[in-house]
Amino acid sequence: MRFYFDIRDGVPARDNTGKEFECVPAAITHAEELAAEFRSQREPKGQNSRICVVSENGAVVHEEKL
């Protein structure tokens, strides 16, 4: 199943490529890792900044704060 990792921090950035994972929990783990990387490399974002995990059918399955 393909999942997309959209960044929402005032100006939304759509992930048009996505990545294949076998299940939702694996995609969520990837989002947690991406968020940790963003937090370590950038200034703190606003409290509403997040990575949204979107399934291939367009449903948001998880949101991870940045």
Side-chain angles (χ1 to χ4, degrees):
M1 179 178 235
R2 184 165 293 276
F3 293 89
Y4 301 89
F5 300 86
D6 296 348
I7 306 293
R8 299 190 182 158
D9 65 352
V11 178
R14 173 82 168 125
D15 173 9
N16 293 317
T17 306
K19 190 169 181 172
E20 291 284 331
F21 290 95
E22 290 187 20
C23 59
V24 172
I28 290 171
T29 297
H30 182 68
E32 292 168 344
E33 292 167 353
L34 286 174
E37 187 176 323
F38 271 93
R39 287 190 294 263
S40 71
Q41 295 179 2
R42 297 181 180 202
E43 293 295 318
K45 298 286 186 177
Q47 64 182 352
N48 293 325
S49 298
R50 60 201 181 280
I51 295 175
C52 294
V53 182
V54 182
S55 68
E56 61 189 14
N57 66 3
V60 175
V61 297
H62 180 75
E63 292 186 0
E64 187 71 28
K65 290 184 83 170
L66 294 179

